[in-house]
Amino acid sequence: MKQFNQTSQKIMLAIQITKASLLICFFFILWYLLYEQNKLFLTGEQANNTETLTEVHLSSPSTLSSNITLNTINNNDSIENPLNELKELNKRYCGNPTCKFLFVYNFGEQETKANLHFRSFSQLAEKLNRTMILTNVGSSQISVCQNFSFNLYYNVTLLKKEFPNVLYKSEDDFILWLKERDQIKNKLNNINNNEVIPPLSILHSNLRRYDITSETIYRNVKPVVSLSECLSKFGPFMNLTDPNNSRVKYTIMDITKFDLKTEQSRAKFSKLLIDDLSVNEEILLVNSYVLDPLFPVIMPVIPYNDYILNEAQKLKEKLSSSYIGIHWRLEQSRPELLPECAQGLIITLNKIMKEEGIENIYLATDYPLLSSSSQSDTFTKITNYHHDAIRMLNETFKINTWVSLGGLEQLRKNEKYDTEFIGPGIQGILDKLVCVNSNYFIAGPKGCSRILSTFTKAIADERSNRLDSGLLNVIDRWKIPL
């Protein structure tokens, strides 16, 4: 009986504990339901506030928080992101949050001189801390009007080693920068409904050697309406006539020939040039015709593309590595004197071949080889005297040229480069390299040839640096027989 009572008490105690537990659970569930209902009510009220903010300030409610202060921060972020995009764009292209370009869109002369000028402006880009555009090439020029990228002629990798402190970008890179900048500008200005990123800031400067002036003058000028039409290929992202797209200032520098003649005068001039062109504009756009170096130190020739160097080596091997190189630039010769000029060249060649034991001849000339057009833009009047002189030479010797030896065959088979071989072009660089490597080198005398030829001088200068490699001379000029 006693055991039964103890069992009953345990059961009653368990029932009481269970009732207490159920009661606690009930109140806990009731409290939870009331809390959630209140939470839902508050969230709905805040959502109503969010919709009002969206209508006034933002375009997408998905970016909003339930906190009003955070809404303001997110609103600012949505505006500042394009600014950050612009900085990142500039860092990607220029290595700095702000891009500053030097774009010399026309170098004014054929490749040999243009090569010299490009080096001078690379020095300027370094002094101004500007990214330099690798202007297109073609037809023996460095110009925005040409169709081929800079590396058709030149080795950009070696150029960068020559100027390690200059950042170079191609015309295609420049177009991409213009396009992306324009997209970011439109995005930010539309979001803010105000102009935040301004139009492109451009300084257009025309640099020219002006021989009639007694001192170098740099001045502002009115807008230049006769700019190269080829600049239009950068539109609509760079439009020089639309003030909403580009804000352009125009200047001109007339440079005396005396300021560029000596190392001392160039040292003085270059300081003036750097001071005048140290500006804040994003783009320094330059049309150049200066003829001479701009800085006291003249940098080495821009290295040529490996393809051209390999072609020069192939031609040298076809000439059995022993040959006389001739540069006969017929432009500015006296046509009626050309038969005597040809006779003098024949006498000179016979003498050299006999004395030096050289059997092969290579001719570099502006005379037409592939078409009726000469290989110089400025040599247009070709007479029977010119034809007769070349005929006399061919009838006496086997005359090799880049055409007869199959030079640049790969490019010549590609229709893309057809225009490059009508007139001056990449073949001029090949001629120069083959003549530099010749065992003996001769050029025309006064009356028979253009004496003040930068092309001829460049060959002679390079040969003077290679005399210890077995060359027989630097340069000789044949004589007209009396």
Side-chain angles (χ1 to χ4, degrees):
M1 186 68 178
K2 182 179 179 180
Q3 186 176 1
F4 175 80
N5 290 336
Q6 288 178 345
T7 302
S8 298
Q9 288 175 357
K10 288 180 180 180
I11 292 173
M12 292 299 293
L13 179 62
I15 292 172
Q16 289 176 356
I17 292 173
T18 302
K19 288 182 177 179
S21 299
L22 290 173
L23 187 61
I24 291 171
C25 289
F26 172 79
F27 282 111
F28 178 80
I29 293 170
L30 181 61
W31 171 83
Y32 180 80
L33 292 174
L34 291 173
Y35 170 81
E36 286 299 308
Q37 183 178 6
N38 186 56
K39 182 180 178 181
L40 290 170
F41 173 77
L42 290 174
T43 304
E45 184 178 354
Q46 288 169 346
N48 290 335
N49 289 337
T50 297
E51 290 170 0
T52 303
L53 290 173
T54 303
E55 291 175 4
V56 174
H57 298 289
L58 299 173
S59 59
S60 174
S62 63
T63 62
L64 294 174
S65 164
S66 60
N67 185 290
I68 295 178
T69 303
L70 289 178
N71 277 332
T72 304
I73 292 174
N74 285 336
N75 181 40
N76 288 339
D77 282 347
S78 68
I79 294 175
E80 289 177 357
N81 281 339
L83 284 176
N84 292 332
E85 286 183 43
L86 180 60
K87 290 179 181 178
E88 291 303 316
L89 170 70
N90 290 337
K91 287 179 182 178
R92 181 154 41 92
Y93 279 83
C94 307
N96 291 300
T98 301
C99 272
K100 286 190 173 183
F101 293 100
L102 172 59
F103 188 3
V104 186
Y105 65 88
N106 182 32
F107 286 85
E109 294 185 272
Q110 291 192 0
E111 192 279 324
T112 302
K113 272 289 187 70
N115 189 308
L116 171 65
H117 300 330
F118 191 92
R119 288 174 264 152
S120 284
F121 281 102
S122 288
Q123 291 171 283
L124 180 62
E126 181 175 358
K127 297 296 184 182
L128 298 178
N129 193 27
R130 284 183 174 268
T131 298
M132 186 166 181
I133 302 301
L134 298 170
T135 312
N136 276 6
V137 300
S139 301
S140 192
Q141 295 179 341
I142 306 176
S143 167
V144 72
C145 290
Q146 304 308 320
N147 298 321
F148 309 112
S149 62
F150 189 83
N151 60 10
L152 177 68
Y153 286 3
Y154 304 109
N155 187 320
V156 177
T157 300
L158 294 181
L159 171 66
K160 291 177 179 178
K161 290 183 178 180
E162 190 172 320
F163 294 95
N165 298 321
V166 179
L167 182 62
Y168 293 98
K169 292 293 178 181
S170 68
E171 280 194 18
D172 288 342
D173 290 330
F174 183 59
I175 290 174
L176 288 174
W177 177 82
L178 288 171
K179 184 176 181 179
E180 290 189 52
R181 183 195 184 278
D182 191 70
Q183 291 172 344
I184 295 170
K185 170 190 166 185
N186 291 336
K187 182 196 301 184
L188 179 55
N189 292 352
N190 288 338
I191 289 174
N192 199 41
N193 203 25
N194 288 307
E195 186 173 311
V196 177
I197 299 179
L200 287 167
S201 56
I202 301 173
L203 173 64
H204 179 278
S205 193
N206 188 15
L207 305 185
R208 60 181 184 176
R209 197 181 79 179
Y210 202 58
D211 291 346
I212 66 172
T213 186
S214 58
E215 62 177 335
T216 294
I217 300 173
Y218 181 70
R219 65 188 188 279
N220 295 320
V221 293
K222 294 179 179 179
V224 181
V225 296
S226 59
L227 290 179
S228 171
E229 293 182 358
C230 302
L231 288 171
S232 62
K233 70 182 178 181
F234 299 105
F237 308 111
M238 186 177 77
N239 186 332
L240 302 183
T241 60
D242 179 4
N244 293 319
N245 176 276
S246 305
R247 293 175 181 172
V248 190
K249 291 168 55 179
Y250 295 88
T251 63
I252 191 169
M253 178 176 280
D254 292 326
I255 307 167
T256 73
K257 60 182 178 181
F258 305 106
D259 282 342
L260 302 176
K261 283 300 181 184
T262 67
E263 184 175 332
Q264 293 76 16
S265 65
R266 292 197 300 271
K268 181 179 178 180
F269 166 79
S270 61
K271 292 179 180 177
L272 173 66
L273 180 67
I274 293 167
D275 288 342
D276 286 338
L277 297 182
S278 293
V279 295
N280 291 323
E281 276 77 7
E282 292 171 283
I283 302 170
L284 177 54
L285 201 59
V286 176
N287 180 25
S288 165
Y289 191 76
V290 292
L291 302 179
D292 301 294
L294 301 175
F295 287 83
V297 176
I298 301 175
M299 300 299 290
V301 173
I302 301 172
Y304 293 110
N305 185 298
D306 286 346
Y307 172 75
I308 309 176
L309 297 177
N310 292 336
E311 288 293 296
Q313 183 61 33
K314 288 178 184 178
L315 298 196
K316 181 178 178 180
E317 292 171 357
K318 288 182 179 181
L319 293 165
S320 302
S321 300
S322 177
Y323 59 98
I324 301 169
I326 307 168
H327 181 223
W328 193 356
R329 185 166 183 177
L330 293 166
E331 184 184 5
Q332 294 187 0
S333 64
R334 290 169 51 192
E336 66 278 9
L337 192 61
L338 287 177
E340 287 83 358
C341 294
Q343 188 61 40
L345 176 56
I346 290 169
I347 294 172
T348 300
L349 288 172
N350 277 322
K351 181 174 183 294
I352 296 171
M353 294 170 78
K354 181 178 179 181
E355 292 178 353
E356 303 296 343
I358 301 175
E359 298 182 354
N360 295 306
I361 298 170
Y362 182 86
L363 175 64
T365 180
D366 54 358
Y367 182 81
L369 296 178
L370 278 181
S371 68
S372 59
S373 299
S374 76
Q375 296 192 216
S376 170
D377 286 334
T378 53
F379 180 28
T380 56
K381 191 175 181 180
I382 302 174
T383 68
N384 286 332
Y385 290 111
H386 297 94
H387 296 311
D388 290 342
I390 297 298
R391 187 180 302 112
M392 287 176 62
L393 195 59
N394 276 315
E395 289 173 351
T396 309
F397 303 103
K398 179 184 178 182
I399 301 297
N400 298 286
T401 67
W402 68 272
V403 175
S404 67
L405 294 174
L408 304 169
E409 186 175 10
Q410 183 179 346
L411 291 183
R412 288 162 62 188
K413 288 180 178 179
N414 190 333
E415 294 180 355
K416 174 183 176 181
Y417 299 102
D418 282 352
T419 57
E420 185 67 5
F421 297 103
I422 301 174
I426 193 173
Q427 64 271 23
I429 298 174
L430 181 61
D431 272 343
K432 190 189 311 182
L433 294 173
V434 175
C435 286
V436 164
N437 290 323
S438 62
N439 300 78
Y440 207 102
F441 178 61
I442 57 177
K446 185 176 181 180
C448 300
S449 182
R450 181 174 180 175
I451 292 293
L452 298 177
S453 167
T454 308
F455 186 95
T456 306
K457 184 178 183 301
I459 295 171
D461 288 346
E462 184 61 27
R463 288 176 63 82
S464 68
N465 297 327
R466 299 188 183 190
L467 277 177
D468 57 354
S469 62
L471 301 185
L472 297 175
N473 76 331
V474 174
I475 180 174
D476 288 337
R477 293 187 182 274
W478 72 83
K479 298 179 181 179
I480 301 174
L482 300 176

